[in-house]
């Protein structure tokens, strides 16, 4: 081979190497961009369970910057809270055993709320480096839970209408005959009469709650003063509050705009929640009621008691059929309240700390997306 050809060949070889180097660097940059800007959390970790790299979405989901994550094990307290350690270790064991796995990992955040992650992992993608894709599905789980509760309410509502109708017919007959017997009942049997009539009244009250669970048919939505509705409710319950040594503390926004609502149904909600607040304070205390604007076109009503509080596990069950924290109760009152607020396109959230009391937050839109007016 002539010197010129050899020189040209060597030059060509060097050019190819340079091009390969450039292409490799270009590919590396592309993969780095894909890694960094993925909407899912991406995690690289070694066989000692230590984090090698994490992308921006992963930093945000875990809640710590990359420089505080790299070099630490994925289940250490300052990365993913310790109470998720066992589930994470189980996920890692399955990866080591099967080579790849998918699972849902649950842990509590610093505020004690459950957070849920879908995790998919692949073992040894490159020289002892393992790869995990994770996604925060907490909001999805919460929506599914709300839909489940909504479906339950719809089923219970349909059953309630039929049951209430069947019970009300014999109830009407019983009440009528008891009233006829009132005049001939002797004094020594008057206590029995009082017990019978009070228990019939209790049954009638439960029937009414069942009927409200069914879709209301005779309601009329109109613009009303929310403060006025609340004041009427407080006045109605003042006598009961005095008997239990309970005082009302109110802080109502005088500039609150009118709310498009069904006033009698809202009053039913307020009565249910305030009565419960009175009953959880047998030694007395304050019930603080506040109304205010919270965000655009929404108002918030908060009702806070000084009772024993409710555990986080029980809070999740409030509003479910026949779940109650009281010794004598059906759980229908709060279930009815959820139904009414749902029909108003609003929401009920509960904050509580055992030993420190409970606060109910009710949010309502000023104007419903679809105007409701049923006669």
């Amino acid at each position: 081979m002539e010197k010129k050809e050899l020189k040209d060949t060597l030059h060509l070889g060097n050019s190819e190497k340079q091009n390969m180097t450039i292409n490799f660097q270009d590919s590396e940059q592309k993969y780095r961009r894909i890694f960094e800007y993925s909407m899912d959390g991406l995690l690289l970790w070694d066989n000692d369970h230590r984090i090698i790299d994490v992308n921006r979405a992963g930093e945000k989901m875990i809640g710590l910057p990359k420089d505080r994550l790299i070099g630490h094990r994925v289940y250490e307290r300052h990365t993913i809270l310790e109470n998720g350690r066992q589930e994470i270790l189980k996920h890692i064991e399955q990866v080591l055993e099967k080579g790849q796995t998918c699972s849902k990992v649950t842990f509590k955040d610093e505020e004690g709320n459950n957070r849920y992650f879908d995790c998919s992992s692949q073992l040894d993608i490159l020289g002892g480096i393992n790869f995990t894709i994770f996604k925060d599905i907490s909001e999805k789980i919460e929506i599914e839970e709300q839909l489940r509760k909504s479906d339950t309410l719809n089923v219970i509502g349909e059953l309630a209408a039929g049951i209430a109708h069947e019970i009300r017919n014999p109830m009407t007959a019983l009440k009528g005959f008891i009233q006829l017997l009132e005049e001939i009942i002797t004094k020594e049997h008057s206590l029995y009469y009082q017990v019978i009539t009070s228990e019939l009244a209790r049954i009638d009250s439960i029937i009414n709650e069942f009927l409200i669970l069914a879709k209301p048919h005779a309601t009329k939505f109109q613009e009303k003063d929310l403060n006025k509705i609340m004041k009427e409710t407080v006045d109605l319950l003042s006598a009961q509050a005095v008997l239990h040594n309970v005082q009302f503390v109110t802080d109502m926004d005088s500039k609150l705009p009118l709310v498009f609502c069904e006033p009698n149904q809202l009053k039913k909600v307020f009565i249910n929640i305030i009565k419960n607040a009175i009953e959880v304070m047998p030694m007395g205390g304050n019930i603080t009621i506040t109304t205010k604007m919270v965000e655009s076109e929404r108002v918030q009503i908060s009702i806070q008691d000084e009772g024993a509080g409710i555990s986080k596990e029980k809070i999740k069950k409030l509003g479910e059929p026949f779940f109650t924290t009281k010794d004598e109760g059906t759980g229908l009152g709060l279930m009815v309240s959820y139904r009414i607020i749902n029909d108003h396109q609003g929401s009920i959230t509960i904050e509580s700390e055992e030993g420190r009391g409970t606060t109910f937050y009710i949010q309502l839109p000023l104007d419903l997306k679809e105007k409701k007016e049923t006669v």
Side-chain angles (χ1 to χ4, degrees):
M1 182 179 292
E2 294 182 3
K3 289 183 178 181
K4 185 177 184 303
E5 291 178 354
L6 180 60
K7 186 178 180 181
D8 290 343
T9 301
L10 290 172
H11 178 71
L12 181 61
N14 289 333
S15 297
E16 287 177 348
K17 287 180 181 178
Q18 289 174 352
N19 289 335
M20 287 176 64
T21 301
I22 292 170
N23 289 337
F24 177 78
Q25 291 174 343
D26 187 47
S27 297
E28 187 180 18
Q29 289 175 357
K30 286 180 180 177
Y31 284 118
R32 169 54 63 179
R33 284 198 294 269
I34 291 171
F35 181 85
E36 284 296 337
Y37 292 103
S38 170
M39 296 180 70
D40 293 331
L42 304 179
L43 197 70
L44 297 176
W45 49 282
D46 62 21
N47 292 332
D48 195 31
H49 311 163
R50 294 186 185 277
I51 298 171
I52 297 172
D53 202 356
V54 60
N55 70 341
R56 296 180 183 184
E59 289 179 275
K60 186 176 180 181
M61 289 181 204
I62 296 173
L64 287 173
K66 183 182 297 189
D67 58 2
R68 290 182 59 187
L69 295 171
I70 292 176
H72 294 278
R73 289 186 173 89
V74 295
Y75 43 76
E76 288 181 11
R77 174 178 287 277
H78 77 287
T79 55
I80 295 178
L81 297 184
E82 182 132 7
N83 53 26
R85 177 189 179 104
Q86 294 305 317
E87 290 191 55
I88 296 166
L89 282 171
K90 184 179 178 182
H91 178 85
I92 291 173
E93 285 175 10
Q94 291 175 344
V95 177
L96 297 175
E97 181 184 338
K98 302 176 183 177
Q100 61 180 29
T101 192
C102 299
S103 63
K104 183 172 75 175
V105 176
T106 307
F107 66 93
K108 293 184 183 295
D109 61 20
E110 292 177 350
E111 296 177 353
N113 300 313
N114 280 338
R115 291 183 64 190
Y116 304 91
F117 282 81
D118 263 345
C119 298
S120 301
S121 296
Q122 176 70 48
L123 185 69
D124 197 22
I125 62 165
L126 181 66
I129 297 175
N130 311 303
F131 179 56
T132 297
I133 301 174
F134 59 100
K135 181 184 294 186
D136 190 340
I137 58 167
S138 304
E139 187 175 345
K140 176 186 173 185
I141 295 291
E142 185 178 343
I143 290 171
E144 287 175 352
E145 179 65 17
Q146 289 175 352
L147 288 173
R148 185 188 68 78
K149 283 186 177 181
S150 178
D151 289 341
T152 303
L153 282 173
N154 288 333
V155 172
I156 292 291
E158 291 174 6
L159 290 171
I163 292 171
H165 178 73
E166 292 300 321
I167 295 175
R168 176 149 282 179
N169 287 337
M171 271 285 297
T172 302
L174 284 171
K175 287 166 70 176
F177 284 118
I178 287 294
Q179 288 173 356
L180 289 174
L181 292 172
E182 182 179 9
E183 294 180 0
I184 60 173
I185 290 175
T186 57
K187 288 183 179 179
E188 59 265 27
H189 296 111
S190 62
L191 179 62
Y192 301 152
Y193 175 80
Q194 291 173 8
V195 171
I196 291 170
T197 52
S198 66
E199 289 304 304
L200 284 174
R202 175 172 159 76
I203 294 170
D204 196 44
S205 173
I206 293 172
I207 291 172
N208 288 333
E209 289 184 331
F210 264 123
L211 288 172
I212 293 174
L213 281 175
K215 192 80 171 178
H217 294 291
T219 59
K220 187 174 183 180
F221 284 73
Q222 49 197 295
E223 287 189 330
K224 285 290 182 179
D225 183 346
L226 196 64
N227 289 337
K228 184 179 178 183
I229 298 172
M230 179 58 78
K231 186 179 182 303
E232 290 172 354
T233 306
V234 169
D235 290 343
L236 185 66
L237 296 173
S238 290
Q240 185 177 349
V242 169
L243 289 174
H244 289 79
N245 194 28
V246 170
Q247 292 79 40
F248 291 114
V249 179
T250 59
D251 180 14
M252 299 188 190
D253 185 353
S254 59
K255 297 180 180 178
L256 208 66
L258 298 179
V259 176
F260 193 67
C261 65
E262 209 297 325
N264 291 326
Q265 288 189 8
L266 284 189
K267 193 178 290 186
K268 176 79 173 177
V269 173
F270 299 155
I271 288 172
N272 279 333
I273 295 174
I274 294 173
K275 278 183 69 177
N276 286 342
I278 293 172
E279 290 168 6
V280 299
M281 295 191 294
M283 304 303 293
N286 294 329
I287 295 176
T288 305
I289 300 169
T290 305
T291 63
K292 63 179 182 178
M293 292 290 297
V294 285
E295 49 184 68
S296 59
E297 304 301 315
R298 292 184 78 81
V299 297
Q300 177 176 283
I301 307 100
S302 64
I303 301 170
Q304 180 179 14
D305 65 55
E306 296 176 347
I310 310 169
S311 68
K312 293 186 181 298
E313 289 72 23
K314 289 182 178 179
I315 285 176
K316 294 176 185 175
K317 295 182 180 180
L318 290 177
E320 292 188 358
F322 304 107
F323 178 82
T324 178
T325 57
K326 295 185 287 187
D327 294 333
E328 295 183 5
T330 62
L332 291 176
L334 196 54
M335 194 175 178
V336 166
S337 300
Y338 272 99
R339 158 71 77 172
I340 292 170
I341 297 303
N342 184 61
D343 285 343
H344 281 73
Q345 299 172 16
S347 64
I348 297 178
T349 55
I350 305 166
E351 287 183 2
S352 186
E353 185 178 343
E354 291 184 88
R356 299 288 298 273
T358 303
T359 305
F360 280 78
Y361 296 99
I362 303 167
Q363 286 197 13
L364 296 168
L366 295 179
D367 199 4
L368 305 186
K369 292 178 181 177
E370 294 179 4
K371 293 278 188 179
K372 297 185 177 185
E373 188 168 345
T374 311
V375 181

